[in-house]
Each structure stands twice: as structure tokens, then as C-alpha cells.
Amino acid sequence: MTDAATPTFDDAALREAMNRVRLEVGKAVIGQDGTVTGLLIALLARGHVLLEGVPGVAKTLLVRAFSTALGLDTKRIQFTPDLMPGDVSGSLVYDARSGEFEFRAGPVFTNIVLADEINRTPPKTQAALLEAMEERQVSTDGVTRPLPEPFLVAATQNPIEHEGTYTLPEAQLDRFLLKLIVDVPPRDAELAVLRRHANGFDPHDLAAAGLVPAAGADEIRAAQRAAASVTVADDVLAYVVDLAQATRRSPSVQLGVSPRAATALLAAAKAWAWLGGYPAITPDHVQTMLVPTWRHRIRLRPDAELEGVSVDAVLGAVLQQTRVPI
């Protein structure tokens, strides 16, 4: 039975709201439609996103515009080498007036966390996000505090700068549902960006750019429930398992994907199918979401890396070599 306090939404209306979110983000960011769709898929699947791209491709602006279009609270954490775990999750602070310690919530207590340059902080501080991302809670001094819903971590990293950076541990990478590559926009899109700036666009003032919320927290939660209800046939489930096992058998791979990665692919495919209006996922949905869902979960053999083999190429070969259910 549906709780009387829980608003009900029509699936078509929810999908229209999600499409409006994409249009709103487009008022501030040009040429990154695929990345915006990836953020939506992660949100619907209750996952998190790692955004990788060179400086200046609007990764931070993208997340800020996405939050604004959803009408959600957002906080930005600039990860630096001296950042401490308590600076992320919060810490106990002594109150001289009461003579007691009180918990001061960190910036992770929000709907969308922008973890900027996450690989610039040591693994100890990166680990402060592990419980938040997996359990959607923060435990301090024996007390567990739930995080707001919806909750999404969007972390950025620069792939070409290595000085002063730390490799993300596998446990941290595995918490991200998707790894999205934010490329330099094509010529026409870059020209449109320059034209917009020439006309006075200020990336720090999204309200002046006309961005307004296109959806709210209730609609997002309803869309998450709808995406989770997309059905999947046994042969498609078997297809996901066959793909996962194929990564473990690849001669270029030292460590293939885990069962958790298979469930992540299933969740991403469900969200993508729901966005497209499909009542059940098809092999096409699985194929579309495989690379962004698994590219950060595979470790190549050292000799394969020396030969210039890429994870995306390995996953492409896995897709080609695995039988597709009809």
C-alpha cells in the first residue's frame, strides 16, 4: 500500500521532468549532453559518479548546474593534501558553554557532494567518503547519522597531472557507479561556449543564466523507485554474468570485475531503460552502460599497459566476443 504522505507521480511526467533537467543544465554547459545523461542515470540508480577530464572542460560547472536544475542542496569540497577526514564527514567540537562535545556536520551532509580533485588528498581522507557513499550515513563516536536523500557524490579528477596526486584505492573506485570521461567539446560547441561568454555569461551566476529547478526531491525519489522497478529477463541476467566472466578470462586483465560490478551494471541499465520508456532492460541497454560502469573496476596486466592496451578497448572486445541473447 502506498503511504498517504508519499506523493505519486506518473511515469511519463517523471521522465519529462528528467528531460527538463537536461535542458536546464544546457543553459550553462554546452557539448556535454552525454555526461549530463550519465549523472541522471547515476542519480536514478542511487549511485555516484567519477568525472575525469583535463582542466577547463566545465566539470565543476556541470555539477553545479545539475544541482541547480534539480533544486537540490549541494556543497563543494576542494580536496587538498592537508584535508582531514573530519573536514569531510564532520567532527566532535567541545562547547565551553554546555561543557559537552557536540557534533558539527561536515559538507558531506547534503544532497549532492562535489568532491573536486578527489585524487589530491591522501587515501586516509578519501576513505572518509566510503561509509557515506555505500551506507549513506556517517558514524562518529559510536553514533550513526543518516545522510539526506537523495544523495550523490560527484568527484572530479585530472587524468594528466600526477604531481601531488594520489591514486584512488580500488575500494574507493568501486563505490562509484559510473566513471564518465568529460572530453573537450567539438568545434561547434566550443564556438557556442565562446559566443555565450562574449555575450556576458558568468559561470558563477547560474540564476542570471536562467537556470531554474526542473524537478524536486519527491520527484527524484519517485523516479528512483520507478527505475528500480524495471524488469529484467533471465537471459539478460545471464548475459550480464557472461560479460563479467569474460573480463576475468581476458589475457590483458589482471583483475576482472566483481559480482558487485555486475549488480552495478544491472542498476545502470535499468535507469537507462527507464529514461527511454522501456518496461524491461534489453541487451542494448546493458551494452550501452557497460563501459562507463566497468572501466574503473578493471586492473590491466602490467605488460598489457606497457603495450598501450586500454581498459575501454578490452571492454569493447568483451562485448564483441560475448554471445548476445536473442
Side-chain angles (χ1 to χ4, degrees):
M1 179 181 292
T2 302
D3 191 334
T6 302
T8 57
F9 298 93
D10 176 72
D11 260 22
L14 288 172
R15 272 190 286 270
E16 178 59 31
M18 296 303 107
N19 285 325
R20 289 198 305 271
V21 168
R22 286 192 271 201
L23 294 175
E24 287 299 318
V25 176
K27 293 178 180 178
V29 182
I30 298 174
Q32 300 294 351
D33 295 343
T35 308
V36 176
T37 300
L39 284 167
L40 269 178
I41 289 171
L43 183 68
L44 292 173
R46 302 183 80 245
H48 309 285
V49 177
L50 180 62
L51 300 171
E52 184 174 280
V54 299
V57 291
K59 299 186 295 295
T60 302
L61 175 62
L62 180 65
V63 177
R64 289 179 53 241
F66 185 69
S67 305
T68 301
L70 290 168
L72 296 178
D73 183 45
T74 183
K75 289 185 173 66
R76 176 177 178 270
I77 308 173
Q78 179 63 54
F79 280 78
T80 56
D82 60 347
L83 194 72
M84 300 298 292
D87 298 328
V88 176
S89 58
S91 56
L92 293 173
V93 178
Y94 181 72
D95 188 339
R97 290 174 296 181
S98 65
E100 297 179 349
F101 285 93
E102 295 183 355
F103 179 73
R104 182 173 296 171
V108 76
F109 283 86
T110 187
N111 295 119
I112 296 183
V113 178
L114 171 56
D116 225 350
E117 297 185 299
I118 190 172
N119 57 337
R120 285 199 172 278
T121 198
K124 179 179 72 173
T125 304
Q126 293 175 16
L129 281 174
L130 288 177
E131 182 186 15
M133 294 172 71
E134 184 66 20
E135 307 294 337
R136 296 170 182 268
Q137 64 185 29
V138 169
S139 299
T140 306
D141 197 35
V143 178
T144 298
R145 298 172 175 84
L147 294 171
E149 286 287 353
F151 177 71
L152 178 145
V153 173
T156 72
Q157 69 174 10
N158 178 352
I160 63 171
E161 193 168 357
H162 301 292
E163 186 176 347
T165 64
Y166 301 81
T167 302
L168 294 181
E170 279 75 10
Q172 183 82 55
L173 286 171
D174 202 36
R175 297 306 193 276
F176 290 101
L177 179 71
L178 304 177
K179 178 181 177 181
L180 304 176
I181 306 301
V182 187
D183 290 320
V184 174
R187 184 182 186 277
D188 290 346
E190 190 169 2
L191 181 60
V193 170
L194 290 180
R195 186 177 292 116
R196 182 173 292 183
H197 279 263
N199 291 331
F201 171 70
D202 181 0
H204 302 291
D205 189 358
L206 296 180
L211 265 76
V212 295
D218 288 337
E219 289 171 297
I220 295 166
R221 286 190 286 264
Q224 289 174 334
R225 292 191 295 270
S229 69
V230 170
T231 59
V232 52
D234 283 345
D235 59 344
V236 177
L237 286 176
Y239 181 48
V240 173
V241 172
D242 290 344
L243 289 166
Q245 292 187 339
T247 67
R248 301 163 197 156
R249 293 192 301 265
S250 172
S252 299
V253 173
Q254 184 178 54
L255 181 65
V257 300
S258 66
R260 179 189 288 177
T263 63
L265 177 57
L266 183 63
K270 279 188 171 188
W272 179 228
W274 181 83
L275 272 177
Y278 289 84
I281 68 173
T282 68
D284 284 344
H285 297 124
V286 173
Q287 292 165 0
T288 299
M289 298 310 306
L290 182 135
V291 172
T293 308
W294 284 0
R295 61 162 47 117
H296 55 298
R297 305 172 191 268
I298 286 179
R299 182 189 297 171
L300 295 178
R301 294 173 61 89
D303 55 328
E305 288 184 311
L306 288 174
E307 293 171 4
V309 176
S310 70
V311 171
D312 286 14
V314 169
L315 291 174
V318 164
L319 281 171
Q320 288 183 341
Q321 296 165 9
T322 305
R323 189 184 68 84
V324 181
I326 300 175

